[in-house]
Amino acid sequence: MLLGTLVPLQAVAFALVALGAPLVVLTRDPLRQALVNGIYGVSLVCLFVVLQAPDPALSMLVVSGIGYPLVILAAITRVRGHERTEQKKDGEQ
Amino acid sequence: MSRRMRMLVLGPALLGLGALFAWAIAGLPAFGDYRGPYGFVLNRVVVPLRHTTNVVMGTTFDVRGLDTMGEEFILYAALVGVTLLLRDETRSRQAERRTSRLDDDAVRLVGVAMIGGGLLVALWLMAFGYITPGGGFQGGVLAAGAVLLLYLVGSHRDYRPFRNEHFLDPLEAVGAGGYIVIGLAALVSGTAFLTNLFGLGTTGTLVSSGSIALLNWASAIAVSCAMVLLFAEFLETYVVPLEPEDAAS
């Protein structure tokens, strides 16, 4: 059956991924979500390494660690900066 | 739509999706039961035929070299799209902004060390991609990340010279076009496009695997430049204009 052939290390890696995914979704603050998503990415990297796939693991590492957070953080900065200027405008009125 | 209505729509949809998922998972082969003959064949033939010890690399840059060329041009198209949308000629003519630096010396020191370490690991990933895990894509993104750290630990003024588009735009084209040129070289010599025609060398050394090494470097250049430029466009459009100018520096 599906779980019968799992090595314990693989089971732990799968469990970490299964725990991490809902944590990312349940984090409400986008800034924190970007961080949690990075940690979730590392758990996926561990899973790939445990499943003997180092090339996708490295790809996952650079995408979830560098590429993706940067785009998200740029968007968050933009939105928050926009909100700040809106608040300033409201304050002046 | 009221909350009750939404739940009424969501309920059956979730049930249906859950049933389909359960059905799909029940029909999966057992864990670790690999059924494709492709991987077994490649594992056996790639090392003796191509003299590369990273079979993944032998697959992406040789056996399925054409697919990888397509992937490379997906990134290229993304870069062209972002550049057309975000690059502002008036802004790029402006002098760099003197954004404020990080106050914490310890964080800056660690950051600066990470720039050097990151670049070194990136070069290692690129250079040894066809010997050990890694390759042009992973190394390229990491190199761009290291350059980006310059902005994070320094200021925009420190970062600006390293994202000079007058230098990186042509280099990006050299990387992306180089891939095609290597493919065309095979065509000119009378074989199929992207045939591995350069000397295969000694397995397990940097001088091995023929065209794979050159294609790897071409994609490494293309990916590095593309990522540096992509990061720069996002950063200078969305983040830098919001930063306070540093009067002190």
Side-chain angles (χ1 to χ4, degrees):
Chain A
M1 197 25 226
L2 193 69
L3 295 175
T5 46
L6 271 181
V7 178
L9 194 61
Q10 292 171 339
V12 171
F14 270 114
L16 277 179
V17 171
L19 274 175
L23 277 185
V24 178
V25 179
L26 291 174
T27 311
R28 301 312 301 181
D29 177 34
L31 189 62
R32 276 190 202 165
Q33 199 167 29
L35 282 173
V36 176
N37 184 63
I39 298 167
Y40 171 62
V42 174
S43 74
L44 275 174
V45 170
C46 292
L47 179 67
F48 291 162
V49 170
V50 166
L51 294 177
Q52 299 180 28
D55 287 82
L58 283 167
S59 300
M60 190 69 217
L61 196 64
V62 294
V63 169
S64 70
I66 302 168
Y68 188 65
L70 179 92
V71 177
I72 298 283
L73 289 177
I76 293 171
T77 314
R78 166 78 165 193
V79 170
R80 295 212 168 151
H82 191 68
E83 279 169 359
R84 257 202 306 270
T85 45
E86 292 280 291
Q87 276 168 3
K88 229 185 250 171
K89 258 189 228 154
D90 290 347
E92 281 163 7
Q93 276 169 5
Chain B
M1 208 187 276
S2 70
R3 192 180 165 81
R4 207 182 124 77
M5 246 326 260
R6 271 189 289 178
M7 286 299 161
L8 271 177
V9 179
L10 177 72
L14 265 187
L15 268 180
L17 189 69
L20 284 175
F21 256 126
W23 186 28
I25 289 174
L28 276 179
F31 183 76
D33 179 18
Y34 176 65
R35 299 199 174 170
Y38 201 79
F40 291 124
V41 173
L42 285 179
N43 261 342
R44 213 165 321 126
V45 302
V46 162
V47 180
L49 281 184
R50 295 290 181 250
H51 291 204
T52 169
T53 44
N54 185 2
V55 176
V56 176
M57 202 63 142
T59 311
T60 50
F61 283 123
D62 194 310
V63 185
R64 307 304 298 260
L66 195 67
D67 301 17
T68 310
M69 194 178 88
E71 279 173 43
E72 193 174 296
F73 276 86
I74 292 174
L75 184 62
Y76 186 76
L79 173 68
V80 171
V82 167
T83 307
L84 284 174
L85 282 173
L86 298 184
R87 188 177 287 176
D88 179 359
E89 281 300 318
T90 54
R91 189 201 63 211
S92 56
R93 275 198 293 273
Q94 281 172 4
E96 71 278 334
R97 282 174 62 97
R98 299 177 173 195
T99 51
S100 48
R101 289 163 185 271
L102 269 178
D103 290 332
D104 196 325
D105 283 341
V107 176
R108 283 181 63 186
L109 187 70
V110 172
V112 169
M114 277 174 70
I115 295 172
L119 279 178
L120 194 67
V121 173
L123 278 175
W124 166 68
L125 283 176
M126 291 175 195
F128 287 86
Y130 46 94
I131 299 164
T132 50
F137 173 75
Q138 292 95 330
V141 182
L142 187 57
V147 173
L148 185 72
L149 264 180
L150 262 179
Y151 171 78
L152 293 178
V153 299
S155 69
H156 184 233
R157 194 162 54 157
D158 303 323
Y159 167 74
R160 176 89 189 159
F162 293 91
R163 49 83 69 228
N164 184 351
E165 63 254 24
H166 301 299
F167 173 68
L168 288 177
D169 283 348
L171 197 62
E172 158 73 18
V174 166
Y179 201 109
I180 297 180
V181 169
I182 294 165
L184 286 177
L187 213 57
V188 169
S189 72
T191 51
F193 187 69
L194 278 175
T195 304
N196 196 334
L197 44 77
F198 302 98
L200 288 174
T202 319
T203 309
T205 63
L206 277 179
V207 192
S208 68
S209 72
S211 301
I212 296 174
L214 297 175
L215 291 172
N216 177 44
W217 275 110
S219 70
I221 294 171
V223 172
S224 310
C225 297
M227 294 316 272
V228 170
L229 287 167
L230 273 178
F231 290 170
E233 300 297 347
F234 274 109
L235 201 68
E236 292 181 352
T237 307
Y238 293 130
V239 182
V240 175
L242 295 168
E243 272 209 85
E245 293 246 17
D246 189 11
S249 63

